[in-house]
Amino acid sequence: MTQIRTYILSLILLLSFNQLAAVTFQFAAGTINAGVLKTGMENNITALLTEINRAGKSGTALNLSGIRMEEGAKTRLNALWNEAAHFVCDKQTNISKCLNDFQGYQVRAIPITMKPVDSSYDQSLNRELTISLNKKGVITGVRPAWEMQEDISQILHTTGMGGVEETRMRRELLKWVEDFRCYYNERNLKALDQIYSEDALIITGSVINQRANKGDRAVTYEQKVHYTVQDKTQYLAKLKKMFASKNRINVQFDHVSVMKHPAKPNIYGVTLHQKWRNGAYYDEGWLFLLWDFNIPDQPQIHVRTWQPDQVVAEDGVFGIDDFFIP
């Protein structure tokens, strides 16, 4: 009898926990036509958010087996979950617009609370979740959205620059830039190999203290900037060695800005501030990325530059006008 009572009590607690973890999702009225695809996507997102809540509240691993989700998307979400932070959905009922992008659909602004796995996480605890789906309703990406909402609003404000289509293009670009950041955190060398063009130019700037004068009493130094130029093969080889270590990699982006090439409509320059932590190593600096969207669902980076904060303060950051685009 005691065993039966214990079983019943455990079952009640489990059902109560699952009910608390349950999250529902619906598209905002008028943003997608009713039908099998709409219903299927709503059910799929509901299942994902419910599983995130269950795992986030219990502090366990995600079980994504019953969710229609690309394997690559599962790998990236699990890497985020294991390497950086768990999170939970703040609202049990979520309603969001259905946004169209080049690969399918996108859902934004689902409120979440981050639950860091250790003290290395130093971003906001209150974030928003972005979910991407392909045209069949399969989830292709799950990521916490950018924190700097003022920057994002300014980037997506495209009045006089192409209207709705340009806004869609810039939203797509931001999605890819955020995925690009996640590839480093996930040690995803394959994805980085695909996103860098074969002729990619990688430039890294550093400050060197060079002895300038030696007198009887003191030695003075001049700080000079040294730039290292690498091709794709050299750069990925260094990353491969770094990814092989057990040190946690945490890459953060903020202060993002976007410039469209004045003569080439599918070329964009993205400037942003990067914080990089790899074990005990830490640096901050400015990234410039030259993106090519001539194939919208397979964009490539032709140029990546990094400059320390001090260099940018004195000489300025690289930009789209510094590189010749044939």
Side-chain angles (χ1 to χ4, degrees):
M1 181 66 69
T2 301
Q3 289 181 335
I4 294 175
R5 287 176 179 171
T6 302
Y7 173 77
I8 292 173
L9 179 60
S10 299
L11 184 60
I12 291 172
L13 290 173
L14 178 62
L15 291 173
S16 299
F17 179 80
N18 286 338
Q19 187 174 8
L20 288 172
V23 179
T24 60
F25 174 83
Q26 292 179 322
F27 287 115
T31 62
I32 182 174
N33 293 330
V36 175
L37 178 61
K38 172 181 177 292
T39 301
M41 288 197 292
E42 288 176 332
N43 291 340
N44 202 24
I45 296 172
T46 291
L48 172 65
L49 296 180
T50 298
E51 173 54 24
I52 285 172
N53 241 26
R54 182 206 64 77
K57 289 178 181 293
S58 62
T60 58
L62 289 166
N63 180 5
L64 304 173
S65 59
I67 298 167
R68 296 182 65 220
M69 191 172 183
E70 288 185 349
E71 288 303 315
K74 290 181 180 181
T75 299
R76 291 194 298 275
L77 178 55
N78 279 319
L80 170 66
W81 197 263
N82 296 327
E83 290 286 335
H86 300 174
F87 47 90
V88 294
C89 300
D90 296 320
K91 296 171 63 177
Q92 286 191 295
T93 301
N94 293 270
I95 300 175
S96 182
K97 293 179 180 179
C98 180
L99 303 172
N100 290 288
D101 64 25
F102 290 106
Q103 294 175 302
Y105 308 94
Q106 192 177 127
V107 172
R108 304 180 69 89
I110 298 174
I112 57 174
T113 299
M114 307 300 292
K115 294 181 173 294
V117 297
D118 60 30
S119 60
S120 66
Y121 183 87
D122 58 1
Q123 300 178 64
S124 172
L125 296 180
N126 298 313
R127 305 282 295 275
E128 292 183 349
L129 198 66
T130 298
I131 301 173
S132 300
L133 307 96
N134 64 22
K135 294 179 180 179
K136 295 181 179 179
V138 177
I139 294 170
T140 58
V142 181
R143 65 194 72 80
W146 296 80
E147 291 191 79
M148 54 292 181
Q149 293 302 314
E150 289 184 5
D151 289 351
I152 300 306
S153 296
Q154 185 174 1
I155 290 168
L156 297 180
H157 184 68
T158 58
T159 302
M161 295 190 297
V164 173
E165 193 59 32
E166 181 63 16
T167 299
R168 179 187 177 203
M169 180 68 241
R170 286 168 176 251
R171 189 171 63 240
E172 182 79 3
L173 172 60
L174 291 175
K175 182 189 77 174
W176 278 101
V177 171
E178 182 60 18
D179 279 348
F180 171 72
R181 181 192 69 84
C182 291
Y183 295 157
Y184 287 92
N185 292 340
E186 298 159 9
R187 308 167 191 260
N188 194 335
L189 200 65
K190 181 179 179 180
L192 289 167
D193 183 30
Q194 292 174 341
I195 209 165
Y196 281 109
S197 67
E198 290 304 314
D199 58 353
L201 176 67
I202 292 100
I203 301 174
T204 302
S206 57
V207 178
I208 298 175
N209 291 320
Q210 182 172 307
R211 180 175 294 190
N213 180 38
K214 183 176 182 180
D216 294 335
R217 297 181 179 179
V219 177
T220 60
Y221 292 88
E222 292 180 352
Q223 291 188 327
K224 293 190 175 182
V225 182
H226 175 72
Y227 287 104
T228 301
V229 180
Q230 303 173 73
D231 60 23
K232 175 180 174 177
T233 301
Q234 294 169 323
Y235 179 68
L236 293 183
K238 290 182 67 175
L239 280 182
K240 186 176 181 179
K241 292 181 180 179
M242 184 186 300
F243 289 173
S245 74
K246 294 183 179 181
N247 292 331
R248 177 165 291 159
I249 297 172
N250 186 9
V251 180
Q252 300 174 29
F253 291 165
D254 55 33
H255 299 298
V256 62
S257 62
V258 173
M259 176 178 286
K260 185 176 183 179
H261 194 281
K264 300 181 184 298
N266 295 318
I267 302 295
Y268 289 81
V270 176
T271 304
L272 52 86
H273 189 252
Q274 174 184 272
K275 297 178 182 178
W276 177 290
R277 188 182 300 278
N278 179 20
Y281 175 80
Y282 178 80
D283 66 38
E284 293 189 32
W286 290 86
L287 276 185
F288 170 74
L289 304 167
L290 186 66
W291 288 80
D292 181 343
F293 274 84
N294 278 299
I295 303 177
D297 61 348
Q298 299 176 34
Q300 294 214 303
I301 296 172
H302 291 307
V303 176
R304 177 193 185 275
T305 70
W306 181 84
Q307 298 165 274
D309 285 346
Q310 180 180 336
V311 173
V312 171
E314 295 175 359
D315 299 335
V317 68
F318 283 117
I320 201 168
D321 297 328
D322 293 310
F323 300 94
F324 171 72
I325 305 170

